[in-house]
Amino acid sequence: MKKELLTITPQARHCRIAEIAGISACIAKSVPEGIMVETENAAVFEKYFTLLEQTINIKDVDPKGLISVTDQKKLLEVLKKNDADLMTAEPVVIQQDCCRRSFLRGFFLCAGSVSNPEKSYHFEMVCKSQAQADQVMSLLLGAGTCPRMIVRKGHQVVYLKEGDQIETILGILGASKAFMRFENTRILKEMRENVNRQVNCETSNIRKSVSAAVRQIEDIRFLQENGSYSLLNDNLREAAELRLQFPDMPLNELGKRCLPPVGKSGINHRLRKIGQIADSIRNK
């Protein structure tokens, strides 16, 4: 997914500035010599300085990622910063929807991750401060999602757990291919889960039916061996004989064999009555 996002370059200058702000919030910090850019991701490093070159004509890149004091002034000026605190974006930089999307994209490239939807639904962005987390939370809320936050190893982690909300954010970030893959995976996963639920439900119902039939047959055999079978009236005896003859038959089919036929509730009532009679004799 990040490979896809790395290929996106905003056309509008204000959106490029917003994405620079998002990346700066994660990997740039003030030092006496200017601004130090630190990241192990070479692709993010390259994109960051490409954006700087396109937007504010910063060309001379120190191999260690140091932005000189002169270029620092340019950067702070376009980011509307009065100081070198780059951990949050100034409201004026992200006042438009397109700029908010660009900021989140830049931030996600450096501090975000999405789990494999085959395993779980989890999207997160790791923040360095409460102020940064509050801003990310606010932007995600404004995008129509319901983010939550936890503290992990001294960092504030803003995350989403719902599949549809993660899809929304993938679309906002501009990851159209990742969005389609995620959506297809989610649909297939939910279909499998629905099938499994139905199978489990049917299996549970079959087990209950089998257990009930076994108990009914035990009650009937008990009455026969006890000599109390004659206590059953004609309807109950008919139900008992049908159950013994068709031990695996569902109640609705068993009821159809009665003369005259009865519904599922009718045959169930008769077999329950037999069970009550058997229990009353057992408990004497």
Side-chain angles (χ1 to χ4, degrees), residues 135-155:
Q135 185 167 69
V136 171
M137 286 273 288
S138 177
L139 292 173
L140 292 179
L141 282 168
T145 65
C146 298
R148 287 172 277 182
M149 186 180 68
I150 58 171
V151 176
R152 183 198 303 152
K153 297 180 180 179
H155 291 86

Side-chain angles (χ1 to χ4, degrees), residues 209-221:
S209 297
V210 170
S211 297
V214 169
R215 186 170 61 253
Q216 291 158 5
I217 291 172
E218 289 177 350
D219 290 337
I220 296 167
R221 295 296 188 196

Side-chain angles (χ1 to χ4, degrees), residues 3-241:
K3 289 182 179 180
E4 181 180 2
L5 296 181
L6 284 166
T7 65
I8 299 173
T9 300
Q11 295 299 312
R13 185 174 186 271
H14 52 82
C15 289
R16 293 199 298 271
I17 292 172
E19 188 159 342
I20 289 171
I23 299 175
S24 298
C26 301
I27 66 174
K29 65 177 181 179
S30 177
V31 294
E33 300 84 0
I35 291 177
M36 179 62 71
V37 179
E38 296 178 326
T39 176
E40 296 179 359
N41 190 325
V44 171
F45 186 91
E46 181 179 353
K47 179 171 187 180
Y48 183 62
F49 280 98
T50 298
L51 288 170
L52 290 177
E53 180 179 355
Q54 293 175 345
T55 310
I56 52 178
N57 199 32
I58 293 180
K59 296 181 178 180
D60 297 327
V61 181
D62 185 282
K64 296 181 180 180
L66 179 65
I67 297 175
S68 67
V69 174
T70 300
D71 287 335
Q72 177 189 34
K73 292 178 180 179
K74 294 181 183 179
L75 178 57
L76 296 179
E77 182 179 351
V78 297
L79 295 180
K80 309 301 180 185
K81 288 286 186 179
N82 294 322
D83 53 39
D85 180 11
L86 301 174
M87 294 188 69
T88 58
E90 295 301 314
V92 68
V93 172
I94 52 173
Q95 62 182 344
Q96 299 185 63
D97 286 341
C98 56
C99 294
R100 287 192 283 271
R101 290 195 294 269
S102 294
F103 175 85
L104 286 172
R105 181 168 54 248
F107 196 96
F108 178 82
L109 279 171
C110 304
S113 63
V114 180
S115 66
N116 183 345
E118 284 280 5
K119 299 178 180 178
S120 65
Y121 299 143
H122 187 81
F123 170 100
E124 70 175 38
M125 291 195 278
V126 181
C127 303
K128 296 180 178 180
S129 69
Q130 187 62 53
Q132 193 176 78
D134 290 341
Q135 185 167 69
V136 171
M137 286 273 288
S138 177
L139 292 173
L140 292 179
L141 282 168
T145 65
C146 298
R148 287 172 277 182
M149 186 180 68
I150 58 171
V151 176
R152 183 198 303 152
K153 297 180 180 179
H155 291 86
Q156 288 75 17
V157 180
V158 178
Y159 67 97
L160 300 169
K161 297 294 288 185
E162 291 73 23
D164 58 339
Q165 295 190 24
I166 294 174
E167 283 185 6
T168 296
I169 292 301
L170 294 182
I172 286 172
L173 295 179
S176 56
K177 294 179 181 178
F179 174 91
M180 293 302 298
R181 289 195 298 269
F182 191 97
E183 183 177 40
N184 290 337
T185 300
R186 186 166 75 96
I187 291 171
L188 290 173
K189 183 179 179 181
E190 290 180 356
M191 287 177 61
R192 287 197 297 267
E193 290 174 349
N194 287 335
V195 170
N196 288 336
R197 278 194 293 268
Q198 291 176 1
V199 170
N200 291 338
C201 182
E202 291 175 2
T203 301
S204 177
N205 289 337
I206 290 172
R207 287 175 179 170
K208 290 178 182 178
S209 297
V210 170
S211 297
V214 169
R215 186 170 61 253
Q216 291 158 5
I217 291 172
E218 289 177 350
D219 290 337
I220 296 167
R221 295 296 188 196
F222 171 77
L223 293 175
Q224 289 177 333
E225 294 169 1
N226 183 264
S228 303
Y229 192 70
S230 59
L231 296 175
L232 304 182
N233 61 32
D234 292 343
N235 287 338
L236 297 182
R237 191 175 295 124
E238 179 186 38
E241 291 172 358

